[in-house]
Amino acid sequence: MPSSSALSATVQAMLTPGKGLLAADESLPTIGRRFEALAIPSTEENRRAYRELLFTTPGLGETISGAILFDETLRQKTSRGVPMPEVLARQGIVPGIKVDKGTVALPRLEGEKITAGLDGLRDRLTEYRALGARFTKWRAVIAITGLERPTRMCIDDNARALALFAVLSQEAGLVPIVEPEVLMEGDHSLARCAEVTELVLLRVFDALAAHRVVLEEMLLKTGMVLSGDKCPEQAGVSAVAEATLRCLRRTVPAAVPGIVFLSGGQSADVATQHLDAICRAGNAPWTLSFSFGRALQSPALDAWQGSPANVAAAQAALQACAKRNGAALHAGARREV
């Protein structure tokens, strides 16, 4: 098994100043929906071609330090026969893998879910490392519905699953990205989102401590504190930054080396604006960065449209978006890892 210093080196590479993570780990149903919206058939070949387009973007390693892959993608090769993890490594990008198997309903808790995938995870982690992955990600989904949801049971069950995933990943020599996502869907206020996010993060770090996860060898992926997308009063950019940092300072130990923000359904422009404002505030004990999916990929996917003739335009769109987000990572918001 790799040494603790190897995990720390991976963390340091992922938190390279001015760089963030590309989340390209959409499940088959999710990428199918995104392709369908553009009339692109979701075939294995089209998915391979799209991920190849992303990972071979010239100069991508200048602003992207790591990429999260789906199981299918980790096993694929480019049209030239090069394994996807190797393509990323050649750009100086650390390859990672989403290891959860999506969400299932929690019994007798209407509308609440838990993430599946712990069965057989230890063996899969060993295989993923042999295939080239150097970090992992597990996403828990927490929905806000009025004052009744999320329930404490939902939060605690997901926290335990995240902790088990994290300790198994470290055992296998992989850096875990722990992702408890509080969904932005709903009519909840900024204050309600802050309340729930704070509770979720406190319970997650309690579980991580109980399972002896080494905090210095993991990353936290979390959402920004936002008004629900159906809330009639939408918080401004500065209010989002202030609420997000206040919540994180109350809940995340300083031993955690970095926090990477998810875009969570925000548009590319809005996600970047919020990231910029959070980083401008500075005075954070962790390195702040991003791990965006749609907010990085949407412009590229729209430009590609499934056509080989549009690859260069799609890559230019991705590179421009990655540069904008890299520029948002101001030096004042970063610390030495």
Side-chain angles (χ1 to χ4, degrees):
M1 185 183 78
S3 66
S4 178
S5 61
L7 293 184
S8 295
T10 299
V11 168
Q12 186 169 1
M14 294 168 69
L15 295 177
T16 299
K19 298 184 183 183
L21 307 183
L22 168 63
D25 58 338
E26 300 88 355
S27 65
L28 297 182
T30 298
I31 198 167
R33 289 191 295 272
R34 294 179 189 172
F35 276 18
E36 182 182 358
L38 297 172
I40 304 170
S42 185
T43 63
E44 182 178 355
E45 173 55 24
N46 278 343
R47 294 190 297 270
R48 186 207 60 76
Y50 176 59
R51 264 64 183 258
E52 178 178 346
L53 174 165
L54 298 176
F55 302 157
T56 59
T57 295
L60 187 64
E62 296 171 7
T63 47
I64 298 297
S65 59
I68 311 171
L69 280 60
F70 185 61
D71 180 279
E72 176 185 70
T73 315
L74 187 71
R75 304 174 189 278
Q76 289 176 328
K77 298 180 179 180
T78 68
S79 56
R80 296 176 178 267
V82 182
M84 293 293 188
E86 186 176 334
V87 171
L88 291 166
R90 288 178 182 179
Q91 292 237 52
I93 299 172
V94 183
I97 178 73
K98 164 185 136 82
V99 302
D100 68 72
K101 293 189 175 182
T103 58
V104 296
L106 275 167
R108 299 186 180 181
L109 293 176
E110 183 178 354
E112 297 195 291
K113 299 179 179 180
I114 189 168
T115 304
L118 289 173
D119 288 351
L121 180 57
R122 179 178 267 132
D123 291 337
R124 286 194 291 122
L125 291 171
T126 300
E127 181 186 16
Y128 288 148
R129 196 174 196 291
L131 288 169
R134 292 298 175 263
F135 69 91
T136 55
K137 191 205 78 168
W138 181 287
R139 174 177 178 251
V141 177
I142 308 294
I144 301 176
T145 307
L147 298 177
E148 295 77 29
R149 298 286 189 275
T151 62
R152 185 64 173 264
M153 183 178 294
C154 171
I155 294 171
D156 286 351
D157 285 353
N158 277 290
R160 282 190 289 269
L162 283 164
L164 280 166
F165 142 77
V167 74
L168 286 169
S169 293
Q170 290 181 343
E171 177 190 73
L174 296 161
V175 172
I177 297 181
V178 174
E179 181 184 0
E181 179 179 0
V182 176
L183 299 176
M184 65 180 290
E185 288 82 2
D187 60 1
H188 51 274
S189 66
L190 182 78
R192 176 63 175 150
C193 181
E195 177 186 28
V196 171
T197 303
E198 185 171 331
L199 176 59
V200 168
L201 290 175
L202 286 171
R203 298 305 295 163
V204 166
F205 280 101
D206 280 349
L208 292 171
H211 287 79
R212 301 183 181 181
V213 173
V214 180
L215 298 184
E216 292 84 354
E217 295 171 0
M218 61 159 278
L219 297 179
L220 173 68
K221 179 171 180 175
T222 186
M224 302 162 186
V225 176
L226 303 166
S227 310
D229 61 353
K230 297 179 182 63
C231 180
E233 184 178 345
Q234 291 291 311
V237 172
S238 60
V240 167
E242 181 181 348
T244 299
L245 287 168
R246 181 170 58 246
C247 176
L248 295 175
R249 290 190 183 109
R250 289 176 173 177
T251 58
V252 182
V256 175
I259 299 173
V260 294
F261 291 104
L262 57 91
S263 51
Q266 301 176 82
S267 70
D269 288 342
V270 171
T272 303
Q273 290 171 17
H274 285 149
L275 177 68
D276 182 84
I278 291 168
C279 290
R280 279 185 184 277
N283 299 318
W286 335 268
T287 295
L288 301 178
S289 188
F290 62 87
S291 177
F292 289 169
R294 274 173 289 183
L296 277 176
Q297 292 186 50
S298 290
L301 186 56
D302 289 343
W304 179 52
Q305 295 286 321
S307 171
N310 297 332
V311 166
Q315 290 180 331
L318 173 62
Q319 183 66 297
C321 195
K323 285 183 177 180
R324 285 195 298 272
N325 285 290
L329 304 178
H330 303 279
R334 308 190 68 84
R335 71 171 193 185
E336 293 298 323
V337 180

